[in-house]
Protein backbone atom coordinates (compact mmCIF):
# COMPACT_ATOMS: atom_id res chain seq x y z
CA UNK A 1 0.00 0.00 0.00
CA UNK A 2 1.35 3.42 -0.89
CA UNK A 3 1.59 5.79 2.02
CA UNK A 4 1.85 9.57 2.09
CA UNK A 5 3.59 11.14 5.05
CA UNK A 6 1.86 14.27 6.27
CA UNK A 7 4.15 16.35 8.43
CA UNK A 8 2.84 18.39 11.30
CA UNK A 9 5.08 21.00 12.89
CA UNK A 10 4.29 21.82 16.49
CA UNK A 11 5.47 24.80 18.47
CA UNK A 12 6.35 28.33 17.51
CA UNK A 13 9.60 28.72 19.46
CA UNK A 14 13.17 27.93 18.54
CA UNK A 15 12.73 24.22 19.19
CA UNK A 16 10.04 22.45 17.22
CA UNK A 17 8.69 18.94 17.52
CA UNK A 18 8.14 16.95 14.34
CA UNK A 19 5.52 14.25 14.14
CA UNK A 20 5.18 12.04 11.06
CA UNK A 21 1.81 10.41 10.55
CA UNK A 22 1.53 7.86 7.70
CA UNK A 23 -1.78 7.88 5.86
CA UNK A 24 -3.02 5.75 2.98
CA UNK A 25 -2.87 7.30 -0.48
CA UNK A 26 -6.05 7.57 -2.55
CA UNK A 27 -3.99 6.80 -5.68
CA UNK A 28 -4.09 3.13 -6.68
CA UNK A 29 -1.06 0.88 -6.98
CA UNK A 30 0.64 1.51 -10.32
CA UNK A 31 -0.27 5.17 -10.46
CA UNK A 32 2.42 7.59 -11.60
CA UNK A 33 3.61 11.19 -11.20
CA UNK A 34 2.17 12.05 -7.76
CA UNK A 35 1.91 15.78 -7.06
CA UNK A 36 0.94 17.13 -3.65
CA UNK A 37 -0.17 20.74 -3.17
CA UNK A 38 -2.00 22.79 -0.56
CA UNK A 39 -5.35 24.40 -1.31
CA UNK A 40 -5.91 27.98 -0.06
CA UNK A 41 -8.08 26.59 2.77
CA UNK A 42 -5.17 24.44 3.96
CA UNK A 43 -6.47 21.10 2.66
CA UNK A 44 -4.07 18.79 0.85
CA UNK A 45 -4.68 18.12 -2.84
CA UNK A 46 -3.02 15.06 -4.40
CA UNK A 47 -2.97 14.44 -8.14
CA UNK A 48 -1.50 11.55 -10.12
CA UNK A 49 -1.66 9.87 -13.52
CA UNK A 50 -2.96 6.43 -14.40
CA UNK A 51 -2.01 4.57 -17.56
CA UNK A 52 -5.02 3.33 -19.51
CA UNK A 53 -5.39 0.20 -21.64
CA UNK A 54 -5.07 2.29 -24.84
CA UNK A 55 -1.59 3.51 -23.74
CA UNK A 56 -2.81 7.01 -22.94
CA UNK A 57 -3.13 8.51 -19.46
CA UNK A 58 -5.72 10.05 -17.16
CA UNK A 59 -4.96 12.82 -14.66
CA UNK A 60 -6.80 12.18 -11.39
CA UNK A 61 -6.95 13.95 -8.05
CA UNK A 62 -8.30 13.78 -4.51
CA UNK A 63 -8.66 16.40 -1.76
CA UNK A 64 -8.03 15.61 1.90
CA UNK A 65 -10.67 17.23 4.14
CA UNK A 66 -11.40 16.53 7.79
CA UNK A 67 -8.91 13.67 7.93
CA UNK A 68 -10.20 11.78 4.87
CA UNK A 69 -9.47 11.76 1.13
CA UNK A 70 -12.34 12.51 -1.24
CA UNK A 71 -13.23 9.92 -3.87
CA UNK A 72 -10.75 10.23 -6.76
CA UNK A 73 -11.99 12.36 -9.65
CA UNK A 74 -10.74 12.66 -13.23
CA UNK A 75 -9.49 16.02 -14.48
CA UNK A 76 -8.33 14.81 -17.92
CA UNK A 77 -8.75 11.43 -19.61
CA UNK A 78 -7.24 9.59 -22.58
CA UNK A 79 -4.40 12.10 -23.07
CA UNK A 80 -0.81 11.68 -24.31
CA UNK A 81 0.57 12.99 -21.00
CA UNK A 82 4.33 13.38 -21.16
CA UNK A 83 6.21 11.58 -18.39
CA UNK A 84 9.28 13.51 -17.29
CA UNK A 85 10.49 14.38 -13.76
CA UNK A 86 10.66 18.10 -14.61
CA UNK A 87 7.13 18.27 -16.01
CA UNK A 88 4.83 16.72 -13.44
CA UNK A 89 1.12 17.23 -14.15
CA UNK A 90 -1.04 18.51 -11.35
CA UNK A 91 -4.25 20.02 -10.07
CA UNK A 92 -4.18 23.21 -8.03
CA UNK A 93 -6.93 25.07 -6.19
CA UNK A 94 -7.40 28.84 -6.38
CA UNK A 95 -8.86 30.97 -3.59
CA UNK A 96 -12.01 31.40 -5.72
CA UNK A 97 -12.66 27.64 -5.53
CA UNK A 98 -11.67 27.08 -9.15
CA UNK A 99 -9.49 24.05 -9.83
CA UNK A 100 -6.85 24.18 -12.56
CA UNK A 101 -5.41 21.01 -14.06
CA UNK A 102 -2.15 21.32 -15.99
CA UNK A 103 -0.08 18.83 -17.95
CA UNK A 104 2.32 18.49 -20.86
CA UNK A 105 1.46 16.31 -23.84
CA UNK A 106 3.32 14.85 -26.75
CA UNK A 107 1.19 14.60 -29.90
CA UNK A 108 2.22 10.96 -30.33
CA UNK A 109 4.63 8.54 -28.67
CA UNK A 110 8.23 9.21 -29.69
CA UNK A 111 7.59 12.83 -30.71
CA UNK A 112 9.91 15.57 -29.45
CA UNK A 113 7.09 18.13 -29.42
CA UNK A 114 5.71 19.24 -26.06
CA UNK A 115 2.41 21.05 -25.65
CA UNK A 116 1.15 22.55 -22.38
CA UNK A 117 -2.55 22.06 -21.61
CA UNK A 118 -4.88 23.50 -18.97
CA UNK A 119 -8.44 22.67 -17.97
CA UNK A 120 -10.57 24.33 -15.29
CA UNK A 121 -13.42 23.24 -13.03
CA UNK A 122 -15.64 24.89 -10.43
CA UNK A 123 -16.76 21.61 -8.82
CA UNK A 124 -14.07 19.02 -9.64
CA UNK A 125 -16.52 16.93 -11.64
CA UNK A 126 -17.17 19.05 -14.74
CA UNK A 127 -14.05 20.25 -16.56
CA UNK A 128 -13.57 22.67 -19.41
CA UNK A 129 -12.25 21.32 -22.69
CA UNK A 130 -8.44 21.12 -22.50
CA UNK A 131 -6.81 24.22 -23.96
CA UNK A 132 -3.28 24.25 -25.35
CA UNK A 133 -1.66 27.32 -23.80
CA UNK A 134 1.72 27.48 -25.54
CA UNK A 135 1.93 29.45 -28.78
CA UNK A 136 4.48 27.20 -30.50
CA UNK A 137 2.54 24.44 -32.26
CA UNK A 138 5.52 23.02 -34.16
CA UNK A 139 6.23 19.31 -33.95
CA UNK A 140 9.68 19.77 -32.40
CA UNK A 141 10.98 20.15 -28.87
CA UNK A 142 10.76 23.76 -27.64
CA UNK A 143 14.07 25.63 -27.43
CA UNK A 144 14.76 28.61 -25.21
CA UNK A 145 15.78 31.82 -26.96
CA UNK A 146 19.53 32.19 -26.41
CA UNK A 147 19.79 35.85 -27.35
Amino acid sequence: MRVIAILFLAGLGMAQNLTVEPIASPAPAGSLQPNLSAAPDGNALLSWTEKLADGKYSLKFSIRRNGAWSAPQTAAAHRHIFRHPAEIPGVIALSTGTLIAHWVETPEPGSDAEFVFLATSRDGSHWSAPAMVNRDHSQVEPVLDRE
Side-chain angles (χ1 to χ4, degrees), residues 84-106:
H84 188 278
E87 297 168 346
I88 302 294
V91 177
I92 60 171
L94 302 180
S95 60
T96 62
T98 299
L99 298 171
I100 299 178
H102 61 89
W103 66 94
V104 174
E105 287 191 24
T106 55

Side-chain angles (χ1 to χ4, degrees), residues 49-134:
T49 59
E50 294 180 16
K51 190 168 186 178
L52 304 172
D54 64 5
K56 296 178 183 175
Y57 293 86
S58 286
L59 174 58
K60 298 199 171 191
F61 72 98
S62 180
I63 301 173
R64 188 167 177 82
R65 292 187 181 105
N66 302 318
W69 290 107
S70 66
Q73 296 187 16
T74 302
H78 298 279
R79 309 298 301 191
H80 289 285
I81 295 175
F82 185 54
R83 291 190 50 226
H84 188 278
E87 297 168 346
I88 302 294
V91 177
I92 60 171
L94 302 180
S95 60
T96 62
T98 299
L99 298 171
I100 299 178
H102 61 89
W103 66 94
V104 174
E105 287 191 24
T106 55
E108 57 189 51
S111 172
D112 287 332
E114 297 175 8
F115 303 133
V116 179
F117 283 84
L118 293 179
T120 62
S121 174
R122 295 285 299 155
D123 62 7
S125 297
H126 303 91
W127 288 84
S128 66
M132 186 166 53
V133 296
N134 55 305

Side-chain angles (χ1 to χ4, degrees), residues 8-19:
F8 296 96
L9 296 178
L12 298 174
M14 293 292 284
Q16 294 185 353
N17 296 322
L18 176 65
T19 302

Side-chain angles (χ1 to χ4, degrees), residues 20-42:
V20 177
E21 178 187 334
I23 58 174
S25 170
S31 61
L32 305 162
Q33 299 178 293
N35 192 346
L36 186 64
S37 64
D41 60 9

